[in-house]
């Protein structure tokens, strides 16, 4: 039972990478879940969970504010994940990206407010900080988004916090690091996942640059974090932003971990110089201090989960199957 009394959740983008791991965990925790998604990656991602009466799949575009408002009926808490979720797919068509990632955001929040939603959890991104010199980027660091994807994440954060009409709805902002590990809707356009699959399939890992630090987070911890934010008392999370990340690792170090986890030192590491030497170093002490949330799963566990899934035949055709790549799938569906 949720300590705040929440029973009915609405997860936008619940058919995506994070959602496909999160939604089953929410159902297992006893919530009723309504997923609002265009389902670009299919509904099969829910497997047998799709048969559960507590799961409702609502095929709907976020930009249809009227129907989105209707879908909010009876909802206690919203987790807003849906968006064009990386720079390359956003840049395929910046107008489309803006229409989904920013323009319809106010309508979504209106729908939540009008329906009496009690908590609105917004999935922002640690990329809003841009590149920082300091070794520990905390939540109060001045944001410096470098791309439109990051800029609109920040704009949504600001708009959400600026609203004065929220009628007791908690507003919680999460800034996750880059997520990794296996999920039913797998993304192979994320660093740890792609390095692992290259090592498994091609016996080679291509490293661009290599020394840049990137914050990472095991998808199992991402899921645990959302469960924690749903259960947290209002006084601790309302109008707060939280970094959620774990190991800040150089790309080269991730490649070493991949090789060690697979247990094959003959996997070749091929170095390619890169102009992109930007490092991101995110500090996630606040979520531990305020909510006692600590990560439990490291990057090795995420790598192992990809290895296990691949060996079990759960990642067929990793380079040709467009479902693993946001940009390829959007091109295929002519969404751009
Ligand atoms: N995956 C990461 O590493 C990471 C890191 C930081 C932040 N985030 C944030 O977490 C959230 C989830 O990321 P993800 O990796 O699961 O993304 P994803 O691309 O796998 O999933 C996005 C989902 O949104 C849906 N969607 C897109 N446009 C829609 C629209 N107009 N209407 C309804 N549904 C729509 C898609 O069909 C998809 O199921 C995103 O907001 C992302 O920015 C992710």
């Amino acid at each position: 039972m949720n300590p705040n009394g929440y029973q009915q959740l609405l997860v936008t983008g619940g058919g995506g990478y994070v959602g496909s791991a999160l939604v089953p965990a929410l159902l297992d925790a006893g919530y009723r879940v309504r997923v609002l998604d265009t389902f670009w990656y299919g509904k099969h991602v829910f497997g047998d969970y799709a048969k559960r009466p507590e799961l409702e799949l609502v095929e709907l575009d976020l930009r249809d504010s009227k129907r989105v408002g209707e879908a909010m009926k009876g909802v206690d808490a919203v987790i807003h994940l849906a968006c064009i979720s990386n720079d390359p797919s956003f840049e395929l068509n910046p107008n489309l990206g803006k229409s989904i990632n920013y323009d319809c955001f106010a309508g979504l929040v209106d729908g939540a407010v009008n329906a009496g939603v009690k908590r609105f959890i917004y999935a922002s991104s640690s990329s809003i900080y841009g590149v920082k010199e300091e070794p520990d980027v905390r939540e109060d660091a001045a944001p410096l988004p470098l791309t439109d994807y990051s800029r609109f994440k920040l704009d949504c954060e600001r708009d959400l916090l600026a609203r004065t009409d929220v009628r007791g709805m908690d507003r919680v902002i999460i800034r996750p690091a880059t997520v990794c590990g296996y999920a039913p809707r797998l993304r192979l356009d994320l660093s740890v996942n792609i390095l692992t699959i290259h090592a498994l399939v091609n016996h080679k890992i291509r490293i661009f640059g290599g020394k840049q630090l990137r914050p990472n987070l095991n998808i199992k911890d991402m899921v645990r974090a959302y469960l924690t934010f749903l259960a947290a008392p209002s006084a601790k999370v309302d109008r707060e932003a939280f970094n959620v990340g774990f190991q800040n690792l150089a790309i080269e170090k991730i490649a070493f971990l991949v090789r060690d986890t697979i247990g094959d030192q003959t996997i070749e590491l091929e170095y390619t110089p890169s102009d992109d030497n930007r490092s991101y170093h995110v500090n996630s002490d606040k979520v531990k201090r305020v909510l006692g949330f600590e990560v439990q799963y490291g990057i090795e566990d995420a790598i192992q989960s990809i290895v296990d899934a691949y060996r079990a035949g759960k990642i067929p055709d990793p380079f040709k199957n467009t479902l693993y790549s946001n940009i390829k799938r959007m091109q295929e569906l002519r969404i751009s």
Side-chain angles (χ1 to χ4, degrees), residues 8-16 18-20 22-23 26 32-37 39 46 55-58 62 71 75 77-82 226 230:
Q8 177 69 58
L9 309 179
L10 183 133
V11 182
T12 75
V18 171
S20 71
L22 176 62
V23 168
L26 295 171
R32 292 197 305 268
V33 184
R34 190 173 296 152
V35 173
L36 188 162
D37 199 303
F39 297 110
F46 300 110
L55 176 63
E56 247 180 285
L57 302 180
V58 180
L62 211 54
V75 169
V78 171
I79 301 177
H80 178 38
L81 304 174
Y226 282 116
L230 283 168

PDB file of all heavy atoms in Angstrom, residues 8-16 18-20 22-23 26 32-37 39 46 55-58 62 71 75 77-82 226 230:
ATOM      1  N   GLN A   8      -4.208   4.693  -8.244  1.00  0.00           N
ATOM      2  CA  GLN A   8      -4.255   4.736  -9.711  1.00  0.00           C
ATOM      3  C   GLN A   8      -3.155   5.663 -10.242  1.00  0.00           C
ATOM      4  O   GLN A   8      -3.107   6.845  -9.891  1.00  0.00           O
ATOM      5  CB  GLN A   8      -5.625   5.241 -10.173  1.00  0.00           C
ATOM      6  CG  GLN A   8      -5.766   5.388 -11.678  1.00  0.00           C
ATOM      7  CD  GLN A   8      -5.777   4.045 -12.409  1.00  0.00           C
ATOM      8  OE1 GLN A   8      -6.607   3.201 -12.149  1.00  0.00           O
ATOM      9  NE2 GLN A   8      -4.824   3.856 -13.333  1.00  0.00           N
ATOM     10  N   LEU A   9      -2.301   5.117 -11.090  1.00  0.00           N
ATOM     11  CA  LEU A   9      -1.217   5.914 -11.681  1.00  0.00           C
ATOM     12  C   LEU A   9      -1.455   6.077 -13.168  1.00  0.00           C
ATOM     13  O   LEU A   9      -2.080   5.227 -13.812  1.00  0.00           O
ATOM     14  CB  LEU A   9       0.132   5.213 -11.490  1.00  0.00           C
ATOM     15  CG  LEU A   9       0.493   4.761 -10.072  1.00  0.00           C
ATOM     16  CD1 LEU A   9       1.848   4.058 -10.094  1.00  0.00           C
ATOM     17  CD2 LEU A   9       0.524   5.953  -9.126  1.00  0.00           C
ATOM     18  N   LEU A  10      -0.907   7.147 -13.720  1.00  0.00           N
ATOM     19  CA  LEU A  10      -0.856   7.302 -15.164  1.00  0.00           C
ATOM     20  C   LEU A  10       0.606   7.481 -15.542  1.00  0.00           C
ATOM     21  O   LEU A  10       1.294   8.346 -14.986  1.00  0.00           O
ATOM     22  CB  LEU A  10      -1.672   8.512 -15.622  1.00  0.00           C
ATOM     23  CG  LEU A  10      -1.694   8.663 -17.149  1.00  0.00           C
ATOM     24  CD1 LEU A  10      -3.117   8.905 -17.643  1.00  0.00           C
ATOM     25  CD2 LEU A  10      -0.816   9.791 -17.623  1.00  0.00           C
ATOM     26  N   VAL A  11       1.076   6.627 -16.441  1.00  0.00           N
ATOM     27  CA  VAL A  11       2.476   6.723 -16.880  1.00  0.00           C
ATOM     28  C   VAL A  11       2.466   7.079 -18.356  1.00  0.00           C
ATOM     29  O   VAL A  11       2.044   6.266 -19.198  1.00  0.00           O
ATOM     30  CB  VAL A  11       3.235   5.391 -16.656  1.00  0.00           C
ATOM     31  CG1 VAL A  11       4.700   5.541 -17.065  1.00  0.00           C
ATOM     32  CG2 VAL A  11       3.136   4.946 -15.201  1.00  0.00           C
ATOM     33  N   THR A  12       2.903   8.288 -18.690  1.00  0.00           N
ATOM     34  CA  THR A  12       3.028   8.628 -20.110  1.00  0.00           C
ATOM     35  C   THR A  12       4.332   8.020 -20.621  1.00  0.00           C
ATOM     36  O   THR A  12       5.314   7.943 -19.877  1.00  0.00           O
ATOM     37  CB  THR A  12       3.058  10.154 -20.338  1.00  0.00           C
ATOM     38  OG1 THR A  12       4.341  10.649 -19.937  1.00  0.00           O
ATOM     39  CG2 THR A  12       1.960  10.880 -19.587  1.00  0.00           C
ATOM     40  N   GLY A  13       4.337   7.554 -21.844  1.00  0.00           N
ATOM     41  CA  GLY A  13       5.561   6.951 -22.378  1.00  0.00           C
ATOM     42  C   GLY A  13       5.907   5.635 -21.710  1.00  0.00           C
ATOM     43  O   GLY A  13       7.050   5.183 -21.755  1.00  0.00           O
ATOM     44  N   GLY A  14       4.894   5.008 -21.116  1.00  0.00           N
ATOM     45  CA  GLY A  14       5.134   3.758 -20.383  1.00  0.00           C
ATOM     46  C   GLY A  14       5.502   2.587 -21.278  1.00  0.00           C
ATOM     47  O   GLY A  14       5.936   1.541 -20.790  1.00  0.00           O
ATOM     48  N   GLY A  15       5.350   2.760 -22.604  1.00  0.00           N
ATOM     49  CA  GLY A  15       5.753   1.685 -23.517  1.00  0.00           C
ATOM     50  C   GLY A  15       7.189   1.831 -23.989  1.00  0.00           C
ATOM     51  O   GLY A  15       7.639   1.074 -24.858  1.00  0.00           O
ATOM     52  N   GLY A  16       7.914   2.778 -23.421  1.00  0.00           N
ATOM     53  CA  GLY A  16       9.311   2.976 -23.825  1.00  0.00           C
ATOM     54  C   GLY A  16      10.280   2.148 -22.983  1.00  0.00           C
ATOM     55  O   GLY A  16       9.861   1.236 -22.252  1.00  0.00           O
ATOM     56  N   VAL A  18      12.369   2.849 -20.305  1.00  0.00           N
ATOM     57  CA  VAL A  18      12.210   2.891 -18.847  1.00  0.00           C
ATOM     58  C   VAL A  18      10.829   2.351 -18.465  1.00  0.00           C
ATOM     59  O   VAL A  18      10.696   1.540 -17.539  1.00  0.00           O
ATOM     60  CB  VAL A  18      12.399   4.340 -18.327  1.00  0.00           C
ATOM     61  CG1 VAL A  18      12.030   4.437 -16.855  1.00  0.00           C
ATOM     62  CG2 VAL A  18      13.848   4.797 -18.556  1.00  0.00           C
ATOM     63  N   GLY A  19       9.811   2.770 -19.206  1.00  0.00           N
ATOM     64  CA  GLY A  19       8.443   2.348 -18.881  1.00  0.00           C
ATOM     65  C   GLY A  19       8.266   0.844 -18.926  1.00  0.00           C
ATOM     66  O   GLY A  19       7.547   0.275 -18.094  1.00  0.00           O
ATOM     67  N   SER A  20       8.923   0.186 -19.871  1.00  0.00           N
ATOM     68  CA  SER A  20       8.713  -1.262 -20.007  1.00  0.00           C
ATOM     69  C   SER A  20       9.282  -2.041 -18.826  1.00  0.00           C
ATOM     70  O   SER A  20       8.907  -3.192 -18.596  1.00  0.00           O
ATOM     71  CB  SER A  20       9.315  -1.774 -21.328  1.00  0.00           C
ATOM     72  OG  SER A  20      10.728  -1.755 -21.283  1.00  0.00           O
ATOM     73  N   LEU A  22       9.474  -0.247 -15.729  1.00  0.00           N
ATOM     74  CA  LEU A  22       8.778   0.385 -14.599  1.00  0.00           C
ATOM     75  C   LEU A  22       7.339  -0.122 -14.428  1.00  0.00           C
ATOM     76  O   LEU A  22       6.905  -0.416 -13.304  1.00  0.00           O
ATOM     77  CB  LEU A  22       8.774   1.909 -14.807  1.00  0.00           C
ATOM     78  CG  LEU A  22       8.011   2.746 -13.790  1.00  0.00           C
ATOM     79  CD1 LEU A  22       8.594   2.592 -12.383  1.00  0.00           C
ATOM     80  CD2 LEU A  22       8.029   4.234 -14.202  1.00  0.00           C
ATOM     81  N   VAL A  23       6.606  -0.208 -15.535  1.00  0.00           N
ATOM     82  CA  VAL A  23       5.176  -0.541 -15.431  1.00  0.00           C
ATOM     83  C   VAL A  23       4.964  -1.904 -14.741  1.00  0.00           C
ATOM     84  O   VAL A  23       4.158  -2.008 -13.803  1.00  0.00           O
ATOM     85  CB  VAL A  23       4.494  -0.445 -16.818  1.00  0.00           C
ATOM     86  CG1 VAL A  23       3.098  -1.049 -16.809  1.00  0.00           C
ATOM     87  CG2 VAL A  23       4.443   1.024 -17.272  1.00  0.00           C
ATOM     88  N   LEU A  26       5.502  -1.450 -11.063  1.00  0.00           N
ATOM     89  CA  LEU A  26       4.400  -0.726 -10.408  1.00  0.00           C
ATOM     90  C   LEU A  26       3.221  -1.668 -10.166  1.00  0.00           C
ATOM     91  O   LEU A  26       2.588  -1.645  -9.099  1.00  0.00           O
ATOM     92  CB  LEU A  26       3.949   0.462 -11.270  1.00  0.00           C
ATOM     93  CG  LEU A  26       4.973   1.587 -11.479  1.00  0.00           C
ATOM     94  CD1 LEU A  26       4.466   2.584 -12.519  1.00  0.00           C
ATOM     95  CD2 LEU A  26       5.277   2.311 -10.165  1.00  0.00           C
ATOM     96  N   ARG A  32      -2.582   0.356  -9.681  1.00  0.00           N
ATOM     97  CA  ARG A  32      -3.268   0.244 -10.966  1.00  0.00           C
ATOM     98  C   ARG A  32      -2.589   1.232 -11.898  1.00  0.00           C
ATOM     99  O   ARG A  32      -2.277   2.363 -11.491  1.00  0.00           O
ATOM    100  CB  ARG A  32      -4.760   0.608 -10.831  1.00  0.00           C
ATOM    101  CG  ARG A  32      -5.551  -0.408 -10.003  1.00  0.00           C
ATOM    102  CD  ARG A  32      -7.063  -0.240 -10.234  1.00  0.00           C
ATOM    103  NE  ARG A  32      -7.501   1.119  -9.963  1.00  0.00           N
ATOM    104  CZ  ARG A  32      -7.950   1.547  -8.781  1.00  0.00           C
ATOM    105  NH1 ARG A  32      -8.041   0.699  -7.772  1.00  0.00           N
ATOM    106  NH2 ARG A  32      -8.325   2.804  -8.614  1.00  0.00           N
ATOM    107  N   VAL A  33      -2.335   0.806 -13.117  1.00  0.00           N
ATOM    108  CA  VAL A  33      -1.519   1.632 -14.003  1.00  0.00           C
ATOM    109  C   VAL A  33      -2.229   1.847 -15.334  1.00  0.00           C
ATOM    110  O   VAL A  33      -2.666   0.892 -15.977  1.00  0.00           O
ATOM    111  CB  VAL A  33      -0.143   0.975 -14.270  1.00  0.00           C
ATOM    112  CG1 VAL A  33       0.731   1.893 -15.120  1.00  0.00           C
ATOM    113  CG2 VAL A  33       0.567   0.638 -12.960  1.00  0.00           C
ATOM    114  N   ARG A  34      -2.326   3.112 -15.712  1.00  0.00           N
ATOM    115  CA  ARG A  34      -2.828   3.473 -17.044  1.00  0.00           C
ATOM    116  C   ARG A  34      -1.622   3.995 -17.819  1.00  0.00           C
ATOM    117  O   ARG A  34      -0.977   4.957 -17.381  1.00  0.00           O
ATOM    118  CB  ARG A  34      -3.889   4.559 -16.899  1.00  0.00           C
ATOM    119  CG  ARG A  34      -4.660   4.857 -18.155  1.00  0.00           C
ATOM    120  CD  ARG A  34      -5.811   5.836 -17.850  1.00  0.00           C
ATOM    121  NE  ARG A  34      -6.799   5.283 -16.948  1.00  0.00           N
ATOM    122  CZ  ARG A  34      -7.566   6.007 -16.106  1.00  0.00           C
ATOM    123  NH1 ARG A  34      -7.474   7.320 -16.084  1.00  0.00           N
ATOM    124  NH2 ARG A  34      -8.426   5.418 -15.303  1.00  0.00           N
ATOM    125  N   VAL A  35      -1.335   3.350 -18.930  1.00  0.00           N
ATOM    126  CA  VAL A  35      -0.201   3.793 -19.753  1.00  0.00           C
ATOM    127  C   VAL A  35      -0.743   4.593 -20.922  1.00  0.00           C
ATOM    128  O   VAL A  35      -1.605   4.113 -21.663  1.00  0.00           O
ATOM    129  CB  VAL A  35       0.615   2.590 -20.275  1.00  0.00           C
ATOM    130  CG1 VAL A  35       1.675   3.050 -21.272  1.00  0.00           C
ATOM    131  CG2 VAL A  35       1.269   1.842 -19.118  1.00  0.00           C
ATOM    132  N   LEU A  36      -0.247   5.798 -21.059  1.00  0.00           N
ATOM    133  CA  LEU A  36      -0.641   6.647 -22.183  1.00  0.00           C
ATOM    134  C   LEU A  36       0.563   6.752 -23.112  1.00  0.00           C
ATOM    135  O   LEU A  36       1.628   7.244 -22.708  1.00  0.00           O
ATOM    136  CB  LEU A  36      -1.024   8.022 -21.626  1.00  0.00           C
ATOM    137  CG  LEU A  36      -1.641   9.051 -22.552  1.00  0.00           C
ATOM    138  CD1 LEU A  36      -2.334  10.128 -21.737  1.00  0.00           C
ATOM    139  CD2 LEU A  36      -0.616   9.690 -23.459  1.00  0.00           C
ATOM    140  N   ASP A  37       0.407   6.222 -24.320  1.00  0.00           N
ATOM    141  CA  ASP A  37       1.580   6.138 -25.203  1.00  0.00           C
ATOM    142  C   ASP A  37       1.108   5.981 -26.645  1.00  0.00           C
ATOM    143  O   ASP A  37       0.005   5.459 -26.888  1.00  0.00           O
ATOM    144  CB  ASP A  37       2.429   4.903 -24.783  1.00  0.00           C
ATOM    145  CG  ASP A  37       3.862   4.962 -25.280  1.00  0.00           C
ATOM    146  OD1 ASP A  37       4.064   5.080 -26.508  1.00  0.00           O
ATOM    147  OD2 ASP A  37       4.790   4.881 -24.455  1.00  0.00           O
ATOM    148  N   PHE A  39       2.830   4.089 -28.480  1.00  0.00           N
ATOM    149  CA  PHE A  39       3.315   2.711 -28.663  1.00  0.00           C
ATOM    150  C   PHE A  39       4.131   2.543 -29.949  1.00  0.00           C
ATOM    151  O   PHE A  39       3.923   1.594 -30.707  1.00  0.00           O
ATOM    152  CB  PHE A  39       2.160   1.693 -28.564  1.00  0.00           C
ATOM    153  CG  PHE A  39       1.523   1.688 -27.200  1.00  0.00           C
ATOM    154  CD1 PHE A  39       0.247   2.187 -26.993  1.00  0.00           C
ATOM    155  CD2 PHE A  39       2.222   1.224 -26.090  1.00  0.00           C
ATOM    156  CE1 PHE A  39      -0.321   2.225 -25.729  1.00  0.00           C
ATOM    157  CE2 PHE A  39       1.659   1.257 -24.818  1.00  0.00           C
ATOM    158  CZ  PHE A  39       0.388   1.755 -24.645  1.00  0.00           C
ATOM    159  N   PHE A  46       4.941  -5.492 -22.817  1.00  0.00           N
ATOM    160  CA  PHE A  46       4.416  -5.802 -21.478  1.00  0.00           C
ATOM    161  C   PHE A  46       4.226  -7.303 -21.250  1.00  0.00           C
ATOM    162  O   PHE A  46       3.917  -7.716 -20.140  1.00  0.00           O
ATOM    163  CB  PHE A  46       3.082  -5.071 -21.250  1.00  0.00           C
ATOM    164  CG  PHE A  46       3.229  -3.576 -21.346  1.00  0.00           C
ATOM    165  CD1 PHE A  46       2.692  -2.870 -22.403  1.00  0.00           C
ATOM    166  CD2 PHE A  46       3.939  -2.885 -20.377  1.00  0.00           C
ATOM    167  CE1 PHE A  46       2.844  -1.505 -22.494  1.00  0.00           C
ATOM    168  CE2 PHE A  46       4.105  -1.511 -20.465  1.00  0.00           C
ATOM    169  CZ  PHE A  46       3.558  -0.818 -21.538  1.00  0.00           C
ATOM    170  N   LEU A  55      -3.894  -3.165 -15.506  1.00  0.00           N
ATOM    171  CA  LEU A  55      -3.126  -2.408 -16.508  1.00  0.00           C
ATOM    172  C   LEU A  55      -4.053  -1.994 -17.645  1.00  0.00           C
ATOM    173  O   LEU A  55      -4.746  -2.810 -18.244  1.00  0.00           O
ATOM    174  CB  LEU A  55      -1.975  -3.257 -17.076  1.00  0.00           C
ATOM    175  CG  LEU A  55      -1.163  -2.591 -18.192  1.00  0.00           C
ATOM    176  CD1 LEU A  55      -0.450  -1.341 -17.691  1.00  0.00           C
ATOM    177  CD2 LEU A  55      -0.120  -3.571 -18.768  1.00  0.00           C
ATOM    178  N   GLU A  56      -4.033  -0.705 -17.929  1.00  0.00           N
ATOM    179  CA  GLU A  56      -4.832  -0.155 -19.043  1.00  0.00           C
ATOM    180  C   GLU A  56      -3.871   0.465 -20.039  1.00  0.00           C
ATOM    181  O   GLU A  56      -3.036   1.303 -19.644  1.00  0.00           O
ATOM    182  CB  GLU A  56      -5.664   1.001 -18.489  1.00  0.00           C
ATOM    183  CG  GLU A  56      -7.137   0.854 -18.433  1.00  0.00           C
ATOM    184  CD  GLU A  56      -7.708   2.144 -17.842  1.00  0.00           C
ATOM    185  OE1 GLU A  56      -7.586   2.339 -16.610  1.00  0.00           O
ATOM    186  OE2 GLU A  56      -8.225   2.946 -18.606  1.00  0.00           O
ATOM    187  N   LEU A  57      -3.989   0.097 -21.288  1.00  0.00           N
ATOM    188  CA  LEU A  57      -3.113   0.686 -22.300  1.00  0.00           C
ATOM    189  C   LEU A  57      -3.940   1.653 -23.145  1.00  0.00           C
ATOM    190  O   LEU A  57      -4.882   1.241 -23.827  1.00  0.00           O
ATOM    191  CB  LEU A  57      -2.505  -0.412 -23.178  1.00  0.00           C
ATOM    192  CG  LEU A  57      -1.702  -1.482 -22.429  1.00  0.00           C
ATOM    193  CD1 LEU A  57      -1.142  -2.522 -23.404  1.00  0.00           C
ATOM    194  CD2 LEU A  57      -0.566  -0.866 -21.611  1.00  0.00           C
ATOM    195  N   VAL A  58      -3.600   2.909 -23.079  1.00  0.00           N
ATOM    196  CA  VAL A  58      -4.356   3.943 -23.800  1.00  0.00           C
ATOM    197  C   VAL A  58      -3.464   4.472 -24.926  1.00  0.00           C
ATOM    198  O   VAL A  58      -2.467   5.146 -24.671  1.00  0.00           O
ATOM    199  CB  VAL A  58      -4.758   5.105 -22.862  1.00  0.00           C
ATOM    200  CG1 VAL A  58      -5.541   6.163 -23.630  1.00  0.00           C
ATOM    201  CG2 VAL A  58      -5.552   4.591 -21.678  1.00  0.00           C
ATOM    202  N   LEU A  62       0.234  12.437 -26.872  1.00  0.00           N
ATOM    203  CA  LEU A  62       0.307  13.437 -25.803  1.00  0.00           C
ATOM    204  C   LEU A  62      -0.210  14.803 -26.244  1.00  0.00           C
ATOM    205  O   LEU A  62      -0.665  15.604 -25.434  1.00  0.00           O
ATOM    206  CB  LEU A  62       1.800  13.579 -25.496  1.00  0.00           C
ATOM    207  CG  LEU A  62       2.328  13.919 -24.145  1.00  0.00           C
ATOM    208  CD1 LEU A  62       1.778  12.955 -23.129  1.00  0.00           C
ATOM    209  CD2 LEU A  62       3.855  13.834 -24.183  1.00  0.00           C
ATOM    210  N   ALA A  71      -8.078  11.148 -19.973  1.00  0.00           N
ATOM    211  CA  ALA A  71      -7.332   9.978 -19.467  1.00  0.00           C
ATOM    212  C   ALA A  71      -6.833  10.181 -18.038  1.00  0.00           C
ATOM    213  O   ALA A  71      -6.410   9.237 -17.376  1.00  0.00           O
ATOM    214  CB  ALA A  71      -6.153   9.668 -20.394  1.00  0.00           C
ATOM    215  N   VAL A  75      -7.003   9.585 -11.581  1.00  0.00           N
ATOM    216  CA  VAL A  75      -5.564   9.316 -11.400  1.00  0.00           C
ATOM    217  C   VAL A  75      -5.045  10.018 -10.141  1.00  0.00           C
ATOM    218  O   VAL A  75      -5.311  11.198  -9.924  1.00  0.00           O
ATOM    219  CB  VAL A  75      -4.778   9.785 -12.657  1.00  0.00           C
ATOM    220  CG1 VAL A  75      -3.273   9.782 -12.403  1.00  0.00           C
ATOM    221  CG2 VAL A  75      -5.128   8.908 -13.856  1.00  0.00           C
ATOM    222  N   ALA A  77      -1.543   9.809  -9.251  1.00  0.00           N
ATOM    223  CA  ALA A  77      -0.190  10.318  -9.525  1.00  0.00           C
ATOM    224  C   ALA A  77       0.195  10.033 -10.973  1.00  0.00           C
ATOM    225  O   ALA A  77      -0.176   8.996 -11.529  1.00  0.00           O
ATOM    226  CB  ALA A  77       0.823   9.674  -8.581  1.00  0.00           C
ATOM    227  N   VAL A  78       0.915  10.989 -11.544  1.00  0.00           N
ATOM    228  CA  VAL A  78       1.381  10.876 -12.934  1.00  0.00           C
ATOM    229  C   VAL A  78       2.901  10.741 -12.933  1.00  0.00           C
ATOM    230  O   VAL A  78       3.588  11.450 -12.186  1.00  0.00           O
ATOM    231  CB  VAL A  78       1.001  12.155 -13.732  1.00  0.00           C
ATOM    232  CG1 VAL A  78       1.657  12.163 -15.113  1.00  0.00           C
ATOM    233  CG2 VAL A  78      -0.507  12.283 -13.858  1.00  0.00           C
ATOM    234  N   ILE A  79       3.399   9.841 -13.766  1.00  0.00           N
ATOM    235  CA  ILE A  79       4.844   9.815 -14.051  1.00  0.00           C
ATOM    236  C   ILE A  79       4.966  10.139 -15.536  1.00  0.00           C
ATOM    237  O   ILE A  79       4.485   9.372 -16.383  1.00  0.00           O
ATOM    238  CB  ILE A  79       5.472   8.441 -13.725  1.00  0.00           C
ATOM    239  CG1 ILE A  79       5.273   8.096 -12.248  1.00  0.00           C
ATOM    240  CG2 ILE A  79       6.967   8.445 -14.065  1.00  0.00           C
ATOM    241  CD1 ILE A  79       5.797   6.713 -11.843  1.00  0.00           C
ATOM    242  N   HIS A  80       5.565  11.260 -15.835  1.00  0.00           N
ATOM    243  CA  HIS A  80       5.604  11.735 -17.228  1.00  0.00           C
ATOM    244  C   HIS A  80       6.957  11.394 -17.874  1.00  0.00           C
ATOM    245  O   HIS A  80       7.945  12.081 -17.664  1.00  0.00           O
ATOM    246  CB  HIS A  80       5.355  13.247 -17.259  1.00  0.00           C
ATOM    247  CG  HIS A  80       5.434  13.832 -18.632  1.00  0.00           C
ATOM    248  ND1 HIS A  80       4.959  13.188 -19.761  1.00  0.00           N
ATOM    249  CD2 HIS A  80       5.940  15.023 -19.076  1.00  0.00           C
ATOM    250  CE1 HIS A  80       5.177  13.950 -20.824  1.00  0.00           C
ATOM    251  NE2 HIS A  80       5.778  15.061 -20.438  1.00  0.00           N
ATOM    252  N   LEU A  81       6.920  10.321 -18.665  1.00  0.00           N
ATOM    253  CA  LEU A  81       8.144   9.869 -19.341  1.00  0.00           C
ATOM    254  C   LEU A  81       8.130  10.179 -20.837  1.00  0.00           C
ATOM    255  O   LEU A  81       9.182  10.275 -21.463  1.00  0.00           O
ATOM    256  CB  LEU A  81       8.291   8.338 -19.209  1.00  0.00           C
ATOM    257  CG  LEU A  81       8.304   7.711 -17.815  1.00  0.00           C
ATOM    258  CD1 LEU A  81       8.316   6.177 -17.943  1.00  0.00           C
ATOM    259  CD2 LEU A  81       9.527   8.152 -17.035  1.00  0.00           C
ATOM    260  N   ALA A  82       6.952  10.296 -21.435  1.00  0.00           N
ATOM    261  CA  ALA A  82       6.870  10.343 -22.903  1.00  0.00           C
ATOM    262  C   ALA A  82       7.596  11.535 -23.483  1.00  0.00           C
ATOM    263  O   ALA A  82       7.425  12.660 -23.010  1.00  0.00           O
ATOM    264  CB  ALA A  82       5.398  10.400 -23.337  1.00  0.00           C
ATOM    265  N   TYR A 226      11.703   5.589  -8.996  1.00  0.00           N
ATOM    266  CA  TYR A 226      10.321   6.054  -9.202  1.00  0.00           C
ATOM    267  C   TYR A 226       9.395   5.518  -8.107  1.00  0.00           C
ATOM    268  O   TYR A 226       8.501   6.226  -7.633  1.00  0.00           O
ATOM    269  CB  TYR A 226       9.814   5.657 -10.594  1.00  0.00           C
ATOM    270  CG  TYR A 226      10.362   6.570 -11.680  1.00  0.00           C
ATOM    271  CD1 TYR A 226      11.207   6.097 -12.677  1.00  0.00           C
ATOM    272  CD2 TYR A 226      10.048   7.929 -11.693  1.00  0.00           C
ATOM    273  CE1 TYR A 226      11.724   6.946 -13.658  1.00  0.00           C
ATOM    274  CE2 TYR A 226      10.559   8.774 -12.651  1.00  0.00           C
ATOM    275  CZ  TYR A 226      11.391   8.282 -13.632  1.00  0.00           C
ATOM    276  OH  TYR A 226      11.904   9.132 -14.581  1.00  0.00           O
ATOM    277  N   LEU A 230       7.194   7.914  -5.505  1.00  0.00           N
ATOM    278  CA  LEU A 230       5.743   7.780  -5.314  1.00  0.00           C
ATOM    279  C   LEU A 230       5.386   7.653  -3.834  1.00  0.00           C
ATOM    280  O   LEU A 230       4.346   8.137  -3.397  1.00  0.00           O
ATOM    281  CB  LEU A 230       5.229   6.528  -6.047  1.00  0.00           C
ATOM    282  CG  LEU A 230       5.079   6.625  -7.553  1.00  0.00           C
ATOM    283  CD1 LEU A 230       4.842   5.245  -8.153  1.00  0.00           C
ATOM    284  CD2 LEU A 230       3.930   7.571  -7.925  1.00  0.00           C
TER     285      LEU A 230
END
